[in-house]
Amino acid sequence: MNNDKIVIKGAREHNLKNVDLTIPRDKLIVMTGLSGSGKSSLAFDTIYADGQRRYMESLSSYARQFLGQMEKPDVDDIQGLSPAISIDQKTTNRNPRSTVGTVTEIYDYLRLLYARIGVPHCPICGRVISQQTVDQMVDAILALPKGTKFQVLAPVVRGRKGTQQKELEAARRGGYARVRIDGNLYDLDEEISLEKNKKHTVEIVVDRLVINDTVQSRLADSLETAIALTGGLVTIDVNGGEEMQFSQSYACPDHGISIDELEPRMFSFNNPFGACERCTGLGTFMRVDPELIIPNKDLSIREGAIKASGWYYAEGSVSEMYYKGLGKKYGFTLDTPIKEMSAEAVNAILYGTGGERIEMYRENEFGSGRYLNEFEGIVNNLERRFRETSSEWMKEEIATVMNGVECPDCHGKRLKPTSLAVTVGGVNISDLCEMSVRQELNFINDIQLTDQEHRIGDGILKEVRERLGFLQSVGLDYLTLARGASGLSGGESQRIRLATQIGSALTGVLYVLDEPSIGLHQRDNDKLIATLKRLRDLGNTLVVVEHDEDTMRQADYIVDIGPGAGVHGGEVVAEGSVEDICKAPRSITGAYLSGRKRIEVPATRRKGNGKRLRIVGAAENNLKNVNVDIPLGKMICVTGVSGSGKSSLINEIFYKALAMELNGAKRRPGKYKEIKGLENVDKVIGIDQAPIGRTPRSNPATYTGVFTDIRNVFAQTQDAKMRGYGPGRFSFNVKGGRCEACEGDGIVQIEMHFLPDIFVPCEVCKGARYNRETLEVKYKDKSIADVLDMTVEEACTFFANIPRIHRKLQTLLDVGLGYIKLGQSATTLSGGEAQRVKLALELAKRETGQTVYVLDEPSTGLHVADVHKLITVLDRLVDAGNTVVIIEHNLDIIKRADYIIDLGPEGGDEGGTIVATGTPEEVAKVHASYTGKYLGPILERDRVTE
């Protein structure tokens, strides 16, 4: 048998049609095809699953008992497989404690570095704290010129209030003759009275010596005596010279702050030894946000300016009593707009009267009364109720006006002050992690260390340098190590894991990757392809599921699955080099690669409706106080290299600000001054890639609302009427029609201690979700479970004569989701699929023509033919008078835009400015724009054929 090939025979997983395939080993192989054609079924559910299963089976039976049984994929045979590693996008870490540094393990090396060669400082005064033995102290003192007179002092009290009689009496009993108090010498024989309320420093004179050849042993004895009195501190008072202070432990002689022996856990924000005590290492905690309590300062209290649980204005309520009492005291009425109130009045409403009682009068149907009460303030009241309540509902209600705020103790740095006071090269570990990968590499390359520090730290620095280099090589040099892992996009987290795998330098492994180019600008794509080739050259096989043209052209071997999606796919329509794919008549990929088919550049660009929104002073994250115009009635693409500030501008500022103003949302937008022109739009809809549901119960049918209509159809059947079944009988979420063994899930969750839980089909209903009686009710010979098992395309034909259902299903078909099943669990949908389900839901609604749609990379996971469909759908939205704002890297979508806003020029600190705006043709002429550089040739190419 050849060892240079992987031979697959009879693959039938999901929609694969008995596929036989031979692919070369140790090569970069791209699997492409329409969305839903079966690429992932072949790459992940067949090749990867079997590679992993075989590796598991090679382990001992003892190890296997903790891993559970892995199901064998539906395939006859696979030969030539290696142990497999999957790098997909679904495993993004949502833990608030995970950062880029911890995920890549670079932070572990940095902790070790700081523990071994870090220089501790006093957190208060910043002086270097060093730990010295008695011998080192003796050597330092003997370095003074011969004949120098000095005193050995033991500081027993430092800056403490009191008469200090106890310490002075102990010194007398110890046989000492003199003492220095606050810099003045006293004999212990005399009466010493100190002011009780002043801070004093008391130092016992242990010995008075002169530097000469015989002083060494007596000096050592005196130092040991002084150390015994103070627990490690000694002061040397040099006659006519500067005082010397020594510490046997890591402690500041002035402030007494001691630092334990440096060890790696001191620098971990996930360990109590290092984490800030106030925020437990999170850097933030939830506080009530005054901006969310009073979102619109133009309104008065009576008009509903205050939006907080228990504090909404209502006549005769307790809140009205408090507001009137505060108004009488601070000079406002219930009809005074908040912005016209004094700062003192607004402060009293939010934070209370500070213990001062105010007169209040309350009148309702039960009578009236006058009270003298203090007012704790809305913010304090909500925070107290949030802490004390046991009601989850109440906590959720109050949480709507809360926001993560920076911890006041560590200022978001997550560590204790003593840990932050340790530096390497003059920089503490938190400040180092706040630098971008690019800046960190420069810092580590230029770091100045002593010979001793070099010997200890060189090995650690080499590992850090390599790993930072890997992050740079996958186009992530704009990230900081302190960036939370939960804030990373799917593409970013996948490329981080790719960089980690390169760091492990394994050979002979089968890597299966899921669209690693997602979220990457064309400029960074070359870096990514070079990284993939480097992994291949180590002696690994790479199977990459990808739609990106550059990656396909650079691959050693391409497998095109198709020809269509769902039931129309599942076959290998072409395999071989790019030329082979281009020549294959059935390959849709080949048609686009060869230029036989293409997405045309529009002959004219839309003029819009002449109105615009203007963002003024955008300064979130790396944005440099920019002003941006968003023309309305157009398709607008926001472009730029990764990390240039696109998401900060559109998702964090533009979308959240519009959602707050137009939809009444309670999520605080990023930093900006104002948005002008809001009167020109009536609502904003964000269509992101977040899952449409977090449980297996959510599915496309329930999300789009079509399932309610389908249940009504079943309830209208003769069978259902005879049995007395209503629409509720056909719901798998309530008792009655569902299978009670699995409570309508169709699957049963089995808890695996120390491992992720596993799901197995229910033994009673065999995954159908319903009980036998419900499944006996049929519509056109299909039960409700059969309908949930249909693809959107099949259901569209099945319900063709029911317009209400057909219209909703048709929109799912229009966005290229004809292949997904109606009852497919939301947790199995990719980010791109979830986004298109949301898009379909919006398309099915009746339009107002003044809506702003915000989409974040809708081309994710889409084949070029599906991008073609998507553009048609987006054109429909814009032609109805709406505005579509898209963050995008896909040149096929960018070239179709009416207006482009290009950010950059680089990522991270070197980005955040507007590089170019205008039509694609105008942006292509701007030399400073990387997007323009790649867009120019595409516009030229697609114009030739017109």
Side-chain angles (χ1 to χ4, degrees):
M1 191 194 91
N2 286 337
N3 280 335
D4 59 349
K5 290 186 180 69
I6 296 172
V7 182
I8 301 149
K9 289 181 182 167
R12 291 176 297 277
E13 196 69 27
H14 300 317
N15 66 332
L16 294 177
K17 294 173 182 163
N18 211 19
V19 168
D20 293 344
L21 179 66
T22 301
I23 52 176
R25 279 172 59 92
D26 303 339
K27 295 282 186 247
L28 174 56
I29 298 141
V30 167
M31 287 200 177
T32 189
L34 267 66
S35 308
S37 60
K39 310 179 296 297
S40 296
S41 300
L42 183 58
F44 283 93
D45 301 332
T46 306
I47 299 173
Y48 165 66
D50 211 44
Q52 196 188 34
R53 180 188 64 83
R54 290 189 198 183
Y55 172 67
M56 297 286 191
E57 287 183 358
S58 72
L59 302 174
S60 68
S61 56
Y62 175 75
R64 283 207 308 276
Q65 73 179 4
F66 299 107
L67 297 166
Q69 283 294 307
M70 285 205 65
E71 217 164 289
K72 186 179 188 299
D74 190 358
V75 59
D76 292 339
D77 186 30
I78 304 181
Q79 296 169 2
L81 264 185
S82 313
I85 292 175
S86 128
I87 305 178
D88 60 10
Q89 290 159 39
K90 291 199 180 87
T91 48
T92 312
N93 198 331
R94 295 280 164 219
N95 187 337
R97 293 188 174 275
S98 291
T99 64
V100 172
T102 59
V103 170
T104 54
E105 296 169 8
I106 296 173
Y107 194 69
D108 297 334
Y109 284 102
L110 290 179
R111 290 194 296 122
L112 185 63
L113 182 75
Y114 274 77
R116 295 296 170 258
I117 63 169
V119 179
H121 296 71
C122 170
I124 297 170
C125 63
R127 72 183 283 170
V128 174
I129 298 172
S130 54
Q131 180 188 38
Q132 289 148 318
T133 63
V134 173
D135 288 351
Q136 287 172 314
M137 294 178 199
V138 169
D139 292 344
I141 296 164
L142 291 177
L144 293 167
K146 273 198 175 174
T148 304
K149 294 180 179 176
F150 64 93
Q151 299 184 109
V152 178
L153 307 177
V156 287
V157 175
R158 286 173 299 159
R160 198 171 74 204
K161 287 182 181 178
T163 60
Q164 316 305 339
Q165 289 305 316
K166 194 171 146 196
E167 281 74 15
L168 294 172
E169 193 51 48
R172 288 187 189 103
R173 283 201 309 272
Y176 297 104
R178 292 177 194 78
V179 67
R180 188 172 81 166
I181 302 173
D182 301 335
N184 300 315
L185 277 171
Y186 296 88
D187 276 332
L188 279 167
D189 296 344
E190 61 185 288
E191 185 66 38
I192 303 169
S193 64
L194 302 175
E195 273 192 56
K196 187 178 182 181
N197 295 321
K198 273 193 177 175
K199 289 183 178 177
H200 303 287
T201 299
V202 177
E203 296 159 309
I204 298 168
V205 180
V206 175
D207 207 348
R208 296 199 289 183
L209 301 165
V210 179
I211 297 287
N212 58 38
D213 295 338
T214 59
V215 79
Q216 185 173 335
S217 62
R218 181 172 164 185
L219 173 58
D221 289 344
S222 300
L223 288 171
E224 282 177 7
T225 306
I227 284 166
L229 287 169
T230 61
L233 285 177
V234 186
T235 301
I236 303 297
D237 177 27
V238 181
N239 198 354
E242 210 174 300
E243 268 189 10
M244 300 168 76
Q245 287 180 318
F246 298 102
S247 169
Q248 207 176 23
S249 59
Y250 284 119
C252 175
D254 293 342
H255 299 99
I257 290 177
S258 63
I259 294 179
D260 295 333
E261 182 83 35
L262 296 187
E263 51 184 327
R265 65 180 180 174
M266 253 185 82
F267 303 98
S268 170
F269 42 77
N270 295 327
N271 190 306
F273 282 89
C276 164
E277 287 171 2
R278 180 117 180 225
C279 64
T280 66
L282 286 171
T284 58
F285 51 86
M286 294 297 280
R287 296 296 294 269
V288 170
D289 186 345
E291 295 288 323
L292 295 177
I293 292 174
I294 311 175
N296 187 350
K297 293 182 173 58
D298 294 334
L299 300 178
S300 67
I301 290 174
R302 199 187 297 276
E303 289 169 331
I306 293 170
K307 311 270 190 202
S309 171
W311 293 101
Y312 292 97
Y313 173 77
E315 280 189 28
S317 64
V318 175
S319 60
E320 182 192 44
M321 174 186 81
Y322 277 113
Y323 294 145
K324 281 183 173 174
L326 289 164
K328 196 172 172 186
K329 164 88 175 155
Y330 294 101
F332 66 84
T333 70
L334 298 180
D335 297 305
T336 309
I338 300 288
K339 66 179 180 185
E340 291 174 20
M341 290 183 189
S342 66
E344 191 185 10
V346 176
N347 192 62
I349 291 170
L350 292 172
Y351 298 103
T353 54
E356 185 186 345
R357 292 180 159 210
I358 54 171
E359 190 182 358
M360 296 179 190
Y361 180 75
R362 187 178 183 198
E363 192 174 339
N364 58 24
E365 68 266 31
F366 303 113
S368 61
R370 209 171 281 279
Y371 310 90
L372 263 179
N373 265 346
E374 59 180 82
F375 178 56
E376 66 177 329
I378 295 176
V379 169
N380 298 334
N381 171 272
L382 291 171
E383 289 192 344
R384 177 179 59 76
R385 283 162 57 203
F386 187 78
R387 278 194 312 273
E388 292 173 3
T389 184
S390 55
S391 159
E392 280 304 316
W393 177 85
M394 181 52 70
K395 282 198 165 175
E396 280 178 26
E397 178 76 10
I398 297 172
T400 60
V401 291
M402 295 180 101
N403 241 331
V405 295
E406 193 179 81
C407 168
D409 285 11
C410 67
H411 302 292
K413 294 183 185 292
R414 297 175 165 226
L415 295 170
K416 286 180 179 172
T418 47
S419 302
L420 292 171
V422 179
T423 64
V424 169
V427 175
N428 71 30
I429 194 164
S430 175
D431 291 344
L432 181 60
C433 290
E434 288 292 345
M435 295 180 189
S436 67
V437 167
R438 201 174 357 193
Q439 293 166 324
E440 278 169 344
L441 267 170
N442 293 337
F443 172 79
I444 282 171
N445 289 331
D446 300 339
I447 197 167
Q448 301 292 314
L449 299 176
T450 63
D451 290 346
Q452 174 76 350
E453 287 170 341
H454 265 303
R455 279 196 292 277
I456 298 167
D458 275 354
I460 306 169
L461 286 169
K462 175 176 169 283
E463 294 290 340
V464 173
R465 202 178 285 117
E466 274 186 7
R467 280 166 168 72
L468 289 172
F470 297 144
L471 283 177
Q472 193 173 32
S473 70
V474 290
L476 294 174
D477 55 356
Y478 59 90
L479 288 181
T480 65
L481 294 185
R483 170 94 171 256
S486 58
L488 296 170
S489 69
E492 283 171 336
S493 59
Q494 187 181 13
R495 290 197 295 282
I496 281 176
R497 292 207 304 285
L498 183 61
T500 312
Q501 285 301 332
I502 301 168
S504 65
L506 292 170
T507 60
V509 174
L510 172 66
Y511 287 101
V512 186
L513 289 91
D514 187 7
E515 291 190 68
S517 69
I518 284 177
L520 260 194
H521 192 273
Q522 274 68 24
R523 188 199 67 165
D524 299 320
N525 225 352
D526 301 337
K527 284 185 192 170
L528 174 70
I529 293 166
T531 303
L532 295 175
K533 288 182 170 178
R534 185 170 166 188
L535 205 50
R536 174 201 66 189
D537 295 341
L538 284 169
N540 299 302
T541 308
L542 273 79
V543 174
V544 184
V545 175
E546 189 56 277
H547 297 292
D548 176 64
E549 187 178 331
D550 293 346
T551 313
M552 281 192 246
R553 292 194 182 279
Q554 297 278 334
D556 302 317
Y557 199 82
I558 301 177
V559 179
D560 188 19
I561 310 287
V567 290
H568 306 297
E571 303 171 41
V572 175
V573 289
E575 56 180 302
S577 64
V578 177
E579 290 75 28
D580 296 332
I581 304 294
C582 289
K583 288 174 194 162
R586 291 179 68 212
S587 169
I588 297 173
T589 311
Y592 281 97
L593 278 177
S594 63
R596 294 197 300 276
K597 276 190 181 179
R598 63 176 38 141
I599 297 171
E600 301 290 348
V601 173
T604 56
R605 308 281 177 189
R606 295 182 192 88
K607 294 282 181 276
N609 59 19
K611 297 170 184 170
R612 64 177 187 178
L613 292 171
R614 182 171 175 78
I615 306 169
V616 180
E620 180 71 4
N621 293 333
N622 65 336
L623 291 172
K624 310 280 195 301
N625 209 20
V626 294
N627 301 331
V628 186
D629 284 338
I630 310 271
L632 298 175
K634 292 185 178 185
M635 189 196 295
I636 298 148
C637 271
V638 181
T639 61
V641 298
S642 307
S644 57
K646 304 182 296 298
S647 297
S648 300
L649 178 66
I650 300 302
N651 295 341
E652 292 302 313
I653 296 176
F654 180 68
Y655 171 65
K656 284 186 180 175
L658 261 63
M660 203 167 172
E661 293 289 339
L662 303 174
N663 306 357
K666 288 190 173 176
R667 290 178 67 194
R668 195 174 182 174
K671 283 186 219 151
Y672 75 105
K673 292 195 180 94
E674 63 172 327
I675 293 184
K676 296 177 179 174
L678 286 171
E679 66 280 359
N680 299 322
V681 291
D682 61 8
K683 67 175 185 237
V684 64
I685 292 167
I687 304 175
D688 61 9
Q689 295 190 9
I692 57 171
R694 301 206 172 273
T695 67
R697 288 180 181 277
S698 304
N699 58 46
T702 55
Y703 187 82
T704 55
V706 75
F707 193 45
T708 307
D709 302 325
I710 292 171
R711 295 203 328 261
N712 289 334
V713 167
F714 272 87
Q716 294 301 314
T717 58
Q718 203 60 41
D719 262 3
K721 284 179 178 173
M722 278 168 57
R723 295 170 186 235
Y725 293 167
R729 178 80 193 193
F730 301 97
S731 167
F732 49 75
N733 288 326
V734 291
K735 285 186 177 180
R738 72 180 184 187
C739 163
E740 284 305 321
C742 61
E743 296 184 340
D745 277 343
I747 49 176
V748 178
Q749 183 177 356
I750 296 174
E751 281 190 28
M752 302 287 287
H753 298 291
F754 318 115
L755 280 169
D757 296 344
I758 59 169
F759 297 91
V760 294
C762 168
E763 288 181 5
V764 179
C765 66
K766 305 286 186 286
R769 297 179 166 213
Y770 295 92
N771 57 31
R772 257 178 248 151
E773 291 72 27
T774 310
L775 294 175
E776 282 169 8
V777 177
K778 302 279 175 78
Y779 170 73
K780 289 191 185 175
D781 283 337
K782 299 281 184 189
S783 70
I784 187 85
D786 295 334
V787 169
L788 284 174
D789 204 40
M790 286 180 184
T791 63
V792 169
E793 192 178 359
E794 291 165 348
C796 214
T797 312
F798 187 73
F799 291 108
N801 58 350
I802 303 176
R804 191 179 169 84
I805 296 176
H806 185 265
R807 187 169 56 84
K808 288 178 181 173
L809 293 174
Q810 186 61 45
T811 55
L812 281 169
L813 206 57
D814 291 346
V815 294
L817 288 177
Y819 60 91
I820 64 170
K821 292 188 175 176
L822 290 185
Q824 189 171 333
S825 165
T827 52
T828 65
L829 295 175
S830 70
E833 286 168 337
Q835 188 173 32
R836 279 178 288 148
V837 171
K838 294 175 189 177
L839 189 59
L841 180 61
E842 293 309 324
L843 278 172
K845 292 178 182 172
R846 302 284 177 229
E847 278 312 319
T848 61
Q850 282 189 305
T851 306
V852 176
Y853 292 93
V854 178
L855 289 89
D856 191 351
E857 294 194 51
S859 67
T860 296
L862 289 193
H863 185 270
V864 64
D866 296 306
V867 170
H868 213 145
K869 277 187 191 169
L870 175 73
I871 289 169
T872 313
V873 169
L874 297 175
D875 280 341
R876 259 169 64 185
L877 288 175
V878 183
D879 291 339
N882 302 300
T883 306
V884 176
V885 180
I886 310 168
I887 298 174
E888 192 52 272
H889 291 293
N890 187 309
L891 291 170
D892 284 322
I893 291 183
I894 296 170
K895 75 184 182 192
R896 296 275 310 188
D898 303 310
Y899 191 80
I900 293 175
I901 299 165
D902 190 40
L903 281 93
E906 298 289 337
D909 289 343
E910 293 172 38
T913 58
I914 305 293
V915 177
T917 56
T919 63
E921 287 76 14
E922 289 164 352
V923 170
K925 290 174 186 161
V926 177
H927 293 298
S929 166
Y930 286 116
T931 306
K933 178 181 155 190
Y934 288 94
L935 190 57
I938 298 282
L939 291 170
E940 203 57 51
R941 180 192 76 186
D942 291 352
R943 196 164 286 115
V944 174
T945 59
E946 284 180 34

